Amino acid sequence: MNKPIGVFDSGVGGLTVLKELTKLLPNESFVYFADSANAPYGNKSKTEIVNLSANIIEFLISLDCKLIVVACNTATAAAINIMRKKYNLPIVGLEPAVKPACLLTKTGHIGVLATKGTFLGNHFKNTSEKYKDYVKIHLQVAKGLVELAENAIFEGEKVDELLFKYIIPMKNANVDQLVLGCTHYPLFYDAMLAIVGDNMKIIHSGEAVARRTKDVLMINKMINSIQHVQKLSFFASKDTTAINNIVSKLFKVGDFYPYVEIIKLI
Ligand code: DGL
């Protein structure tokens, strides 16, 4: 089925998921929406996130998208169940990779960095509940990182200050698996690696979501099996400096035009 897949996030974070989707699904085209005007979603109410998500999904449906990937842990936690009831197309969501981390840990300690909204969601609570007798799960709301990413700041003093504050206590607690429960956080991978060294494995959900999306496309007979040049379109609700910066870093410029159109949905 030669229709695009819609992907959205509160901002630029979902581009880390889009990257994995484009690798695993080379025959599919994608439309990405960054709601940067309303980022961060982390501290917003459930109602606000439901309304913002509905506006974006309706926009993506108006562009003929066949499936939606909610490339945002916070929006998944707040809105995915309501969105699935409201719209008649497959919607794939994202949750922190707590399960793989619990299965991989050797020390019995895992760390999760995420937003307040994600920690409050049922997906996170239910998964953590299953492993809590065997694994100590160290939670940390990584306040400030989303704002830095939205301003295209991925390294330097401010980044290190926050990462040290959030990661060093986990290191001291013998955490060996660090779960990035927000799609913005893999954008700080290099800065994180410098802090965690060989002691911790950094895990995010991008690849798993891409596999799940492929599965859902196949189950629904929606996968595009005809080979064609992958088309990527980008839309944002605000200034495009950060998104242009990240798009040119993550994707091979030349395969498409990294042109971001600004659309205000509210
Ligand atoms: N990328 C979003 C997530 O995965 C960011 C949250 C926010 O906007 O606060 O949760």
Side-chain angles (χ1 to χ4, degrees):
M1 196 196 258
N2 193 10
K3 287 181 177 183
I5 293 170
V7 183
F8 77 91
D9 178 42
S10 64
V12 294
L15 293 169
T16 60
V17 177
L18 181 66
K19 173 76 188 170
E20 300 304 328
L21 288 163
T22 57
K23 282 200 279 182
L24 194 68
L25 297 162
N27 295 331
E28 301 294 337
S29 290
F30 296 88
V31 180
Y32 184 86
F33 188 90
D35 195 11
S36 303
N38 295 301
Y41 279 8
N43 285 321
K44 286 193 172 12
S45 72
K46 188 177 163 81
T47 312
E48 277 177 290
I49 298 173
V50 165
N51 291 337
L52 293 168
S53 302
N55 283 339
I56 299 169
I57 291 178
E58 278 162 33
F59 171 68
L60 294 171
I61 290 175
S62 78
L63 298 179
D64 213 18
C65 288
K66 61 184 172 186
L67 177 148
I68 306 289
V69 178
V70 184
C72 176
N73 295 265
T74 313
T76 302
I80 200 159
N81 292 342
I82 299 171
M83 297 301 115
R84 283 185 176 139
K85 284 192 193 120
K86 194 169 165 144
Y87 300 105
N88 189 22
L89 81 174
I91 304 181
V92 176
L94 204 77
E95 64 175 296
V98 170
K99 179 179 169 181
C102 286
L103 298 177
L104 284 168
T105 180
K106 292 191 180 81
T107 61
H109 291 265
I110 73 157
V112 186
L113 298 176
T115 67
K116 191 174 136 210
T118 298
F119 285 135
L120 290 174
N122 285 338
H123 294 104
F124 178 76
K125 281 195 200 147
N126 294 344
T127 311
S128 309
E129 189 66 22
K130 282 188 204 152
Y131 300 100
K132 74 170 192 333
D133 293 341
Y134 311 100
V135 178
K136 168 88 181 122
I137 305 178
H138 301 259
L139 311 187
Q140 177 66 58
V141 173
K143 217 164 161 269
L145 289 182
V146 171
E147 289 86 341
L148 288 174
E150 289 298 317
N151 286 299
I153 301 168
F154 305 110
E155 55 184 15
E157 213 176 302
K158 281 186 191 155
V159 170
D160 288 341
E161 193 187 310
L162 291 181
L163 293 183
F164 270 97
K165 191 163 97 185
Y166 300 145
I167 297 174
I168 295 297
M170 294 189 180
K171 220 173 164 177
N172 293 340
N174 214 11
V175 163
D176 67 346
Q177 310 292 322
L178 179 62
V179 177
L180 306 186
C182 169
T183 53
H184 282 73
Y185 303 164
L187 296 167
F188 300 97
Y189 187 83
D190 291 344
M192 283 180 183
L193 205 57
I195 298 172
V196 304
D198 296 332
N199 296 0
M200 279 187 216
K201 186 173 156 29
I202 301 174
I203 306 180
H204 68 98
S205 318
E207 282 178 31
V209 173
R211 284 195 297 273
R212 175 70 191 141
T213 305
K214 187 172 183 178
D215 195 26
V216 174
L217 286 170
M218 292 201 285
I219 291 167
N220 288 284
K221 303 200 184 322
M222 283 180 164
I223 200 151
N224 190 21
S225 38
I226 304 158
Q227 209 176 347
H228 75 124
V229 178
Q230 190 169 58
K231 186 172 169 237
L232 306 181
S233 315
F234 296 93
F235 295 88
S237 55
K238 200 183 139 189
D239 170 48
T240 58
T241 319
I243 186 167
N244 273 324
N245 172 309
I246 299 161
V247 163
S248 55
K249 263 193 214 145
L250 288 184
F251 303 93
K252 217 166 80 208
V253 178
D255 289 354
F256 61 92
Y257 300 101
Y259 166 74
V260 184
E261 203 174 314
I262 308 248
I263 302 270
K264 288 256 182 225
L265 297 179
I266 45 164

